[in-house]
């Protein structure tokens, strides 16, 4: 069982219909944000904040242990 059209006009109609679907999809997608275009997380600032908090906790812990001795 083959899926061959009976006339050259049928081929042209299938191609133009597929092209129309692609063009309409592109027109609907116009102006939509792409998946990677969102706002990026400020990882450097977050990393500095976490590192600073860890350093402060270590200093507080060391000072606390020193007072008890």
């Amino acid at each position: 069982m083959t899926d061959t059209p009976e006339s050259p006009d049928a081929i042209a109609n299938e191609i133009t219909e597929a092209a129309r679907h692609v063009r309409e999809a592109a027109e609907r997608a116009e102006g939509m944000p792409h998946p990677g275009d969102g706002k990026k997380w400020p990882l450097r600032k977050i990393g500095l904040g976490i590192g600073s908090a860890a350093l402060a906790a270590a200093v507080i812990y060391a000072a606390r242990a020193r007072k008890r001795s």
Side-chain angles (χ1 to χ4, degrees):
M1 189 173 353
T2 61
D3 190 22
T4 56
E6 298 172 0
S7 68
D9 292 334
I11 293 173
N13 289 339
E14 289 178 5
I15 293 171
T16 55
E17 182 180 353
R20 183 174 48 83
H21 283 295
V22 170
R23 185 177 58 245
E24 288 173 355
E27 288 172 356
R28 284 193 308 267
E30 203 170 291
M32 298 291 288
H34 294 285
D37 290 346
K39 183 177 178 181
K40 304 290 184 198
W41 282 64
L43 295 179
R44 183 173 291 163
K45 292 179 182 178
I46 292 172
L48 287 175
I50 292 172
S52 299
L55 184 61
V59 169
I60 291 171
Y61 179 76
R64 180 177 160 204
R66 201 176 278 163
K67 286 181 185 177
R68 288 187 178 180
S69 301

